Amino acid sequence: MKLFVVTLVALAGLVPQLALAEAGYRVVPTMVTDWKTVYGQIEAKDQIPARARLGGTLVELSVSEGDMVTAGQELGRVVDAKIAFQLDALNAQIAALESQMANAERELTRGEELKTRGVITSQALDSLRTEAEVVARQLEAQKASKQVTEQQASEGAVLAPIAGKVLDVPVTKGSVLLSGETVATVGGGGFYLRLSVPERFADALQEGARISIDTAGQSAEGTLAKIYPQIESGRVEADVEVAGLNSEFVGARVLVKLPLAMREAVLIPAAMVRTRSGLDFVTVSGPGGTVERAVVPGPVEVIEGKPMVEILSGLTGGEEVVAYVD
């Protein structure tokens, strides 16, 4: 009877070992990527100010921050009261010249009739013809001046330079503006992430590298599209292209993981690490059976859809790690 009990106990001790052996994982040093987490800022590719082309008072303002606009859309209107007076003066001058022109044409017609009857000389007729031409040229010049003034008045409309989102409106209705002042800033042409990376990592950056991004708690991938050659304040600027980047808040900062270097690391499935009494253990299979070994785990990374944990100390490679079965 005692022999039977001992046999059962021995078999019971073998069951976990058999289960462990079936779920073994050979530890092999693997090349992994070192990542540097930095903040990227959402920026518009094009940020163009819509400027006042005419100095005057802003009498209309039809947009505010966040509005979507189309290229050429009227955003506001600037009015210069002096232009109306200039147009009135030009209209009066044109009317006077038109009267002079009509009178000069009548005098020229009368002179031609008198010339046919031999009453006036050819010199007098040429003088009348010259006078009519001078008045006609003066009338054309005033009409051209009126067109210039009307064009200035039409330039009071502030137009959107590109299609996109209004990012900033630094003025209010009723503001007095000079020619060239910004009424609104429009961002368009797509959006990207602008990175500012410490210069010690500049040599590790490569255009075309895949970038991991965390936007609003959701992971995404982008491409390192451009690295700027000029270093300012000890930092290198780079642009990351991201498909479907959320542009609701331009200037928002998001976490970006940059690949900096490759190194050798020991990785095992995260499920094979057990924590007991504040210590981490893995079960290693050897010629004499299975033993528990204390390890120091590192960060967990998802590789090919499986969570893998880096073992910083306790494993060197070549071990057979098995899963623990209760």
Side-chain angles (χ1 to χ4, degrees):
M1 184 67 178
K2 291 181 179 180
L3 179 61
F4 179 69
V5 173
V6 172
T7 303
L8 288 177
V9 172
L11 289 174
L14 289 175
V15 171
Q17 294 181 10
L18 291 174
L20 292 175
E22 291 175 357
Y25 179 83
R26 175 68 61 178
V27 178
V28 178
T30 306
M31 297 302 295
V32 297
T33 303
D34 270 338
W35 299 88
K36 170 67 175 177
T37 301
V38 298
Y39 275 103
Q41 189 165 333
I42 299 176
E43 299 284 355
K45 289 184 178 179
D46 301 318
Q47 294 189 29
I48 304 179
R51 300 184 184 275
R53 297 174 293 171
L54 178 70
T57 303
L58 185 65
V59 297
E60 294 180 13
L61 184 62
S62 57
V63 294
S64 62
E65 291 86 348
D67 291 347
M68 299 300 296
V69 297
T70 58
Q73 178 179 335
E74 184 173 319
L75 309 182
R77 179 167 292 276
V78 178
V79 172
D80 184 359
K82 299 189 299 295
I83 292 181
F85 297 119
Q86 292 173 358
L87 286 174
D88 290 341
L90 288 171
N91 286 330
Q93 292 174 5
I94 289 173
L97 288 172
E98 286 176 344
S99 298
Q100 293 180 17
M101 184 64 191
N103 183 62
E105 288 177 346
R106 288 194 297 268
E107 290 294 330
L108 179 59
T109 301
R110 185 180 302 112
E112 290 174 346
E113 292 177 354
L114 293 175
K115 178 64 173 60
T116 57
R117 295 200 297 263
V119 176
I120 63 172
T121 62
S122 298
Q123 182 179 3
L125 180 61
D126 291 340
S127 177
L128 293 174
R129 186 176 291 110
T130 301
E131 183 178 351
E133 290 178 355
V134 169
V135 175
R137 297 294 182 269
Q138 290 177 346
L139 181 59
E140 291 177 0
Q142 290 300 326
K143 288 182 178 180
S145 297
K146 181 182 177 181
Q147 290 178 347
V148 171
T149 305
E150 288 175 341
Q151 178 63 29
Q152 290 178 345
S154 68
E155 290 178 352
V158 181
L159 306 179
I162 57 173
K165 179 182 291 187
V166 178
L167 304 180
D168 184 34
V169 182
V171 297
T172 59
K173 183 179 177 180
S175 300
V176 177
L177 305 177
L178 297 175
S179 177
E181 283 197 63
T182 299
V183 175
T185 301
V186 181
F191 295 87
Y192 66 96
L193 284 177
R194 171 63 57 84
L195 307 181
S196 183
V197 184
E199 62 179 316
R200 64 180 180 273
F201 301 123
D203 293 338
L205 300 178
Q206 293 184 355
E207 291 186 1
R210 300 299 296 171
I211 307 298
S212 178
I213 301 163
D214 183 6
T215 59
Q218 297 181 352
S219 297
E221 282 195 349
T223 303
L224 191 60
K226 185 175 181 63
I227 301 172
Y228 292 90
Q230 184 172 356
I231 296 177
E232 295 183 359
S233 303
R235 305 188 77 85
V236 178
E237 291 191 343
D239 294 341
V240 178
E241 297 279 358
V242 185
L245 181 64
N246 183 4
S247 59
E248 182 178 359
F249 296 103
V250 178
R253 301 204 307 164
V254 298
L255 285 174
V256 177
K257 294 175 65 177
L258 292 175
L260 297 181
M262 299 293 293
R263 61 181 177 84
E264 195 175 74
V266 174
L267 300 175
I268 66 171
M272 290 186 170
V273 179
R274 299 180 61 233
T275 301
R276 187 172 66 250
S277 300
L279 298 176
D280 298 295
F281 298 89
V282 296
T283 304
V284 179
S285 177
T290 59
V291 294
E292 283 192 326
R293 186 180 297 181
V295 296
V296 178
V300 177
E301 296 185 13
V302 178
I303 300 177
E304 296 181 356
K306 297 179 180 180
M308 305 289 288
V309 62
E310 180 180 357
I311 302 301
L312 304 178
S313 177
L315 297 175
T316 58
E319 297 91 344
E320 182 79 17
V321 178
V322 293
Y324 182 83
V325 179
D326 293 326

